[in-house]
Amino acid sequence: MSNDTFNLGKEQLIKQSLMQMGQHLQGATYTQAQKLALSCRILFDNGHDSGLAGQITARGEQPGTYLTQRLGFGFDEICVSNLLLVNEDLEVLEGDGMANPANRFHSWLYRARSDVQCIIHTHAIHTAALSMLEVPLEISHMDNCVLYDDVAFLPKWPGVPVGNDEGELIAKAIGDRHALLLAHHGLLIASTSIEEACILALAFERAARMHLLAACAGKIQPIDPDLGREARDWILRGQRSSVAFAYYARRTLRKAADCLE
């Protein structure tokens, strides 16, 4: 093995590693509907279960439409066959049943953010517990830096988000960031792909759990901002998100292959 890399600087090694990842790392190929169903199962398996609460949506092929789960089904029951295609007014275009009325704020966010392709909202237990303290999520560990300087905070609960006022408020609160912590409520992820949104939602709940654990032991110490952003940019890459999603999908499919039907 060559020792040439021992003479390279960090920036050169990062660049080289990213080139190698581009050559060797590949995600799995799924349809949008399959990714959405898989995301529901993955989230359920990783602490995002809250009965029938929470929504996940992904833009449809036609403007002003998106896929979502049917109201009345838990994340662990979602399959491709019971997903719905709805318009911005939550009218069902394809599928049976109805969408969650709280999806209305998704419509507002999609209108506000042309870059967003997928929205995830859950009441994951550690995130929900943190939200009760009315404090922002603190990112102070390298594993959580995928969210560094990328989590907005809505300090006041607007109530059940089924109205247009709540949609405007939430869309404004998240701004151009990927994530939002809603006080007395839960988390929101708005991302450029289903895979990335799923991975960020998992990271958010883990970060909330670590925040609570660390705060019980003492004062959380901040990390260097430049290093936090460096770690975020290293982790938050489309190909890396696709590979991570493929890993979680394999775990899920070993026990819930029916979600692709």
Side-chain angles (χ1 to χ4, degrees), residues 2 12 35 49 74 83 96 114 136 146 215 219:
S2 172
Q12 291 173 295
K35 291 176 187 178
D49 172 38
L83 290 173
D96 298 315
S114 61
V146 67
K219 178 178 174 54

Side-chain angles (χ1 to χ4, degrees), residues 15-243:
K15 184 177 180 180
Q16 179 176 293
S17 296
L18 292 175
M19 290 178 60
Q20 292 173 334
M21 288 181 193
Q23 294 170 352
H24 298 288
L25 297 184
Q26 294 184 3
T29 302
Y30 299 107
T31 66
Q32 289 290 89
Q34 288 174 334
K35 291 176 187 178
L36 205 68
L38 279 166
S39 294
C40 288
R41 301 298 185 102
I42 292 168
L43 291 167
F44 179 87
D45 289 340
N46 288 274
H48 291 254
D49 172 38
S50 185
L52 301 182
Q55 317 96 37
I56 177 170
T57 62
R59 284 192 193 267
E61 293 183 1
Q62 298 300 317
T65 67
Y66 51 84
L67 286 167
T68 190
Q69 82 272 29
R70 187 193 307 180
L71 182 63
F73 283 69
F75 276 11
D76 59 321
E77 297 179 303
I78 298 304
C79 303
V80 170
S81 59
N82 57 35
L83 290 173
L84 304 175
L85 180 69
V86 302
N87 61 21
E88 290 183 322
D89 296 307
L90 306 185
E91 297 171 329
V92 176
L93 305 176
E94 295 179 13
D96 298 315
M98 65 176 289
N100 190 328
N103 277 25
R104 179 167 298 278
F105 79 81
H106 293 231
S107 297
W108 280 92
L109 188 46
Y110 281 127
R111 283 188 169 196
R113 293 275 299 275
S114 61
D115 62 306
V116 171
Q117 298 297 317
C118 179
I119 298 171
I120 294 175
H121 168 60
T122 76
H123 302 173
I125 188 67
H126 296 96
T127 298
L130 179 63
S131 78
M132 296 165 63
L133 302 178
E134 293 188 355
V135 297
L137 174 66
E138 294 194 49
I139 304 297
S140 189
H141 186 273
M142 63 176 293
D143 289 350
N144 305 332
C145 280
V146 67
L147 290 166
Y148 188 81
D149 196 28
D150 206 15
V151 183
F153 180 54
L154 183 59
K156 296 300 178 183
W157 181 47
V160 179
V162 298
N164 289 313
D165 289 346
E166 292 84 2
E168 286 188 276
L169 178 65
I170 291 171
K172 182 178 180 181
I174 194 170
D176 61 358
R177 298 189 178 187
H178 283 99
L180 172 68
L181 174 63
L182 301 99
H184 305 285
H185 199 165
L187 65 87
L188 173 65
I189 302 294
S191 193
T192 57
S193 72
I194 297 173
E195 297 98 318
E196 185 178 271
C198 182
I199 296 305
L200 289 178
L202 298 180
F204 197 117
E205 169 62 359
R206 188 173 191 272
R209 182 181 182 187
M210 292 174 68
H211 178 144
L212 292 170
L213 288 170
C216 287
K219 178 178 174 54
I220 297 175
Q221 301 300 315
I223 58 177
D224 182 282
D226 289 337
L227 296 180
R229 286 188 285 269
E230 177 188 78
R232 180 195 62 206
D233 295 343
W234 168 258
I235 301 170
L236 191 61
R237 292 179 178 272
Q239 194 150 22
R240 189 174 177 125
S241 295
S242 295
V243 171

